[in-house]
Amino acid sequence: MTTLARLAEAGYQLTSEATGASAEAQKAMIAKARKIAKIAAEHAGDVDAKSRFPHEAFEALKRERLLGIMIPAAHGGEQASHATIAEICSVLAQACASTGMIYAMHQIKASSLVVHCNDDPWHASFMARIAREQLLLASATTEGGGVGGDLRSSICGVVREGDDFTLDKEGCLISYGAQADAILITSRRTPEAPPSDQVMSVLTKDQYTLERSAAWDTMGMRGTCSDNFTFSGRAPAEQIIPVSFAEIAAQSMLPNAHLLWASVWYGIAAEAVARAEGFVRSEARKRPGSTPPSALRLAELLARLQQFKALVVAGLDRYERARGDADELSSMGFVVAMNSIKVVASQSVGEIVMQAFLICGIQGYRNDSPASLARLMRDALSAPIMINNDRILGNTSNLLAVYKHDPSLSR
C-alpha cells in the first residue's frame, strides 16, 4: 500500500478541495513516477560511476510534468499533497538515490514559494512558470568564509541598485547548480545587516553566473553534482521573497527538508530490504522444505523497516495538521519533532542497509551481484552529514532547557 493510501485511511481528505488534486490524479502521479523509476534504475550505475546528473530521469520527469506538482492549482500546478510528493521521492530513490534526492531538493525549494509567496505578484507569476515550463529549482544556502553548512548565517548581503539588486556569494555548494533553471539563494538583508538577518531571493538562469571552485567527487550521492561555486547575480528587487529567511526556514524549509529527505532515505532502505528478500528467496529455492537461517534476520529487518515507515508517515501527518498555523510551525515542540525525524531517519537508513548486508553476505558486498548493496550503502552514508546530526542535536538540546516533552500519542 502506498503512503498516499495509508494516509487516506488515516482520515485525510484527499480531494480537490483539500489538496487541489483528486485521489485518482495523485495515484496517477505516483504511477508515472514508478515508470520513471525504471528509467532511473537503468542509468543509476552510470550516474554513480561518472558522478553525472541523471539526465534521463529528469527529462522523463519534465515530460510527465511531475516537477510542478506542489504548485497551487491557482497558479497552474497540480497542488499535490505532501504524502504524494513524499511517495514519489521514495519511489525514485528506490531506483536511484541521487534522482530521488534531487527531486526532493527541488520540491523543498518549491515549498518556500508555495507557503510564503502566494500573494506576491512576481513570485506567483514565477510559480506559474515552474508549472508551465517544468523548471528545476536549486538552492544556495551554504557559504565559504567559515559559514559552511550553517544555513542560518550569511556573510554576503544584497546590494540595492535602484530597482535592482546584486549579490555575490563565494564558496556555496549548489547541488545540480549547472543543470538548474533557477536558484533560491540566501544572503544578509543588506551588507551591513547581522549575519542572521537573512533574505532568500529567486534568480533565474539568465540572471546569474556560476564559477566552479570545487568538483563533487564523493563516496555516494554522486549524481547530485553538488559542486562548489562562486555565485554572481543581478535581478529586480521584486524577486527577493518578501518574508524573512528565518520564517521561511522554520515554516517551510525545515519540515519539508526533513520529511522529504527522510522519504528518500526510506526509499534507499526499502530497496536494500527488497534485495535482501530476493536473496533469501533464492536461498530457499536451493533447499526446498527448509527455511534459510537468514530468514529470521530478514524478519527482524522487515520490522525495522516498518518502524522507519511509521516515523515518516507520522511526520507527514503532523505537518499536514500544522500547515496554516504559523504559531505551531514555529513552536519548539514542532521543531523538536522535525529535528528528531531527521536524526532518526538518517541513522536508520545506514543501519538497515548494514543489516541487509549481513543477510546477503558476499553477494551484497560484490558490485556485480543482483543483491549488491554497495551503492545503496555509499548513498546512505550521506544521510547523517546532510545538515550534520551533531548540529541538529545541538540545536535541539538548546531548546530542551525550556521545552517540556509531550508524552501523548495524539501529537
Side-chain angles (χ1 to χ4, degrees), residues 22-292:
S22 67
E24 290 74 19
Q26 296 187 76
K27 289 177 182 177
M29 295 174 203
I30 294 169
K32 289 179 180 179
R34 294 193 186 283
K35 291 180 180 178
I36 295 168
K38 295 179 181 178
I39 298 172
E42 180 182 349
H43 297 280
D46 191 62
V47 166
D48 177 67
K50 296 179 181 176
S51 192
R52 70 167 179 86
F53 183 77
H55 295 285
E56 299 84 358
F58 275 85
E59 287 169 4
L61 285 163
K62 288 188 176 186
R63 186 168 59 249
E64 296 294 344
R65 305 192 63 77
L66 291 181
L67 293 185
I69 62 173
M70 186 180 283
I71 303 300
H75 304 313
E78 285 77 12
Q79 201 170 333
S81 71
H82 281 73
T84 293
I85 293 169
E87 182 79 1
I88 292 173
C89 290
S90 173
V91 166
L92 295 174
Q94 289 170 49
C96 172
S98 291
T99 297
M101 183 56 70
I102 294 167
Y103 187 80
M105 289 191 285
H106 161 80
Q107 297 295 353
I108 293 162
K109 293 297 97 184
S111 75
S112 295
L113 298 170
V114 170
V115 172
H116 304 284
C117 299
N118 272 313
D119 298 326
D120 181 82
W122 188 89
H123 293 92
S125 175
F126 181 65
M127 280 189 275
R129 276 194 65 193
I130 295 170
R132 183 174 64 252
E133 301 175 27
Q134 294 294 292
L135 301 181
L136 179 63
L137 309 180
S139 170
T141 56
T142 59
E143 193 170 356
V147 171
D150 183 5
L151 60 85
R152 299 300 295 271
S153 182
S154 292
I155 295 173
C156 67
V158 165
V159 177
R160 302 285 187 130
E161 296 182 359
D163 293 333
D164 293 348
F165 73 94
T166 61
L167 181 58
D168 296 296
K169 187 168 187 171
E170 296 182 0
C172 42
L173 184 149
I174 308 177
S175 296
Y176 56 96
Q179 293 78 26
D181 297 304
I183 292 176
L184 279 69
I185 186 167
T186 55
S187 64
R188 298 187 191 193
R189 188 177 300 277
T190 68
E192 297 77 26
S196 61
D197 184 8
Q198 297 168 286
V199 293
M200 175 175 274
S201 307
V202 181
L203 286 89
T204 55
K205 197 163 191 172
D206 59 325
Q207 295 174 325
Y208 59 80
T209 59
L210 296 175
E211 182 180 345
R212 184 180 284 105
S213 56
W216 182 249
D217 186 5
T218 54
M219 181 184 297
M221 287 293 180
R222 292 170 58 79
T224 62
C225 301
S226 302
D227 298 332
N228 288 83
F229 296 95
T230 293
F231 176 102
S232 181
R234 183 185 184 95
E238 62 185 348
Q239 293 178 214
I240 301 171
I241 294 178
V243 300
S244 70
F245 180 65
E247 185 175 332
I248 294 170
Q251 297 181 16
S252 60
M253 273 190 63
L254 181 143
N256 279 280
H258 292 347
L259 292 170
L260 296 186
W261 286 349
S263 300
V264 170
W265 299 328
Y266 172 77
I268 296 172
E271 177 61 19
V273 172
R275 295 188 186 190
E277 286 179 309
F279 175 81
V280 171
R281 291 193 189 102
S282 176
E283 292 296 297
R285 285 193 294 269
K286 295 175 184 176
R287 301 173 181 83
S290 64
T291 302

